[in-house]
């Protein structure tokens, strides 16, 4: 009898193992809330499902300029100490960041805060910093509607929550077009500053940790895949416990 109980306890442990394995493979969810830069009026949400180094990235924006390529990048030194920084005239520290005092935060003026380009969120092809200004491969709609699965460099995948999403191009003078501000871009003198000036920035933050901490009772992030997978993993554990109790019941 004692030997049978021991056997049952072991099979219970085996039943619980898949839960552990599922947990280890659970994708991590990150998000970023895009807030306006240069008083663009734009906003948006970035969702990143990271599985190993494979990232499913979606970006939904509001009020971006419709009909001009919006370069979108991950900015920051992976593992570094970057922030979006002062983005709009009137923000604390903006006048210091705005080195030439023109009231516009250029790309280069933002770099001391948000860092250099770590990844280019192009619509196709290369995603390295080399494609930072590949204007024919970036979203052009006012809502961005960006969906792409990207294989991230290891150091980017490992340090996502130290990076920022920056969306570029905004109609600074409100003329209804981009390219007529009359000031050259800080990145490329062939481009007008409106073509590259930041329109929005958002810090990437991890969401999955909250889902883990809340456990079976957590519903706050029930709409993301990671917590759904976690719920499945927890379910497997529960099933294992039920099976063990049922077998014990049969024995007694
Ligand atoms: Cu950028």
């Amino acid at each position: 009898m004692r030997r049978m109980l021991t056997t049952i306890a072991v099979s219970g442990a085996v039943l619980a193992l898949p839960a552990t394995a599922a947990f280890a493979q659970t994708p991590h969810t990150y998000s970023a809330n895009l807030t306006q830069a240069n008083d663009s009026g734009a906003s948006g949400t970035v969702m990143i499902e990271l599985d190993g180094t494979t990232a499913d990235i979606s970006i939904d924006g509001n009020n971006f300029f419709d009909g001009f390529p919006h370069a979108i990048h991950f900015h920051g030194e992976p593992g570094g100490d970057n922030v979006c920084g002062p983005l709009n005239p009137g923000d604390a520290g903006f006048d210091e960041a705005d080195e030439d005092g023109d009231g516009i935060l250029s790309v280069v003026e933002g770099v001391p805060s948000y860092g250099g380009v770590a990844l280019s969120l192009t619509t196709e092809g290369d995603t390295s910093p080399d494609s930072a200004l590949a204007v024919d491969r970036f979203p052009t709609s006012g809502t961005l509607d960006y969906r792409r699965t990207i294989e991230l460099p290891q150091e980017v995948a490992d340090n996502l929550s130290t990076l920022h999403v920056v969306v570029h191009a905004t109609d600074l003078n409100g003329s209804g077009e981009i390219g007529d501000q009359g000031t050259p871009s800080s990145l490329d003198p062939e481009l007008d500053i409106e073509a590259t000036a930041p329109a929005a920035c958002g810090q990437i933050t991890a969401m999955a940790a909250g889902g883990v901490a809340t456990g079976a009772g957590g519903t706050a992030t029930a709409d993301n895949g990671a917590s759904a997978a976690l719920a499945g993993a927890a379910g497997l554990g529960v099933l294992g416990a039920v099976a063990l109790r049922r077998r014990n019941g049969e024995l007694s």
Side-chain angles (χ1 to χ4, degrees):
M1 185 63 174
R2 184 170 299 274
R3 184 175 298 160
M4 287 180 73
L5 279 172
T6 304
T7 304
I8 287 157
V10 167
S11 58
V14 169
L15 274 170
L17 274 178
T20 308
F23 176 82
Q25 291 165 4
T26 297
H28 295 272
T29 305
Y30 296 81
S31 69
N33 290 321
L34 299 173
T35 59
Q36 70 168 357
N38 287 306
D39 288 336
S40 68
S43 61
T45 303
V46 181
M47 295 296 297
I48 304 166
E49 288 281 336
L50 182 68
D51 191 352
T53 56
T54 304
D56 288 334
I57 303 172
S58 64
I59 306 175
D60 294 288
N62 290 298
N63 241 7
F64 286 92
F65 186 90
D66 195 19
F68 192 89
H70 292 283
I72 309 176
H73 310 125
F74 287 178
H75 278 258
E77 178 67 28
D81 194 20
N82 298 112
V83 294
C84 277
L87 297 170
N88 303 281
D91 288 356
F94 183 88
D95 291 345
E96 288 71 30
D98 179 20
E99 289 182 9
D100 62 6
D102 64 355
I104 301 166
L105 184 77
S106 70
V107 175
V108 168
E109 288 169 340
V111 165
S113 292
Y114 53 59
V117 173
L119 191 85
S120 300
L121 279 71
T122 54
T123 52
E124 59 181 8
D126 177 59
T127 57
S128 78
D130 291 345
S131 293
L133 284 177
V135 289
D136 56 340
R137 292 188 285 121
F138 283 112
T140 59
S141 75
T143 51
L144 302 177
D145 301 320
Y146 185 83
R147 302 283 183 276
R148 191 171 179 195
T149 300
I150 295 177
E151 202 59 40
L152 301 180
Q154 188 72 51
E155 69 166 359
V156 171
D158 289 345
N159 294 283
L160 267 186
S161 58
T162 65
L163 302 178
H164 300 76
V165 179
V166 180
V167 182
H168 301 268
T170 179
D171 179 13
L172 291 164
N173 59 14
S175 68
E177 28 184 301
I178 283 184
D180 61 353
Q181 177 73 16
T183 308
S185 162
S186 60
L187 291 182
D188 180 352
E190 298 291 306
L191 296 172
D192 189 273
I193 193 171
E194 290 187 330
T196 58
C201 181
Q203 180 172 350
I204 299 173
T205 57
M207 291 181 69
V212 173
T214 53
T219 54
T221 57
D223 59 341
N224 75 51
S227 65
L230 274 175
L236 279 175
V238 169
L239 281 177
V242 168
L244 183 58
R245 276 201 296 273
R246 189 169 293 156
R247 290 196 195 189
N248 274 332
E250 284 169 7
L251 281 168
S252 60

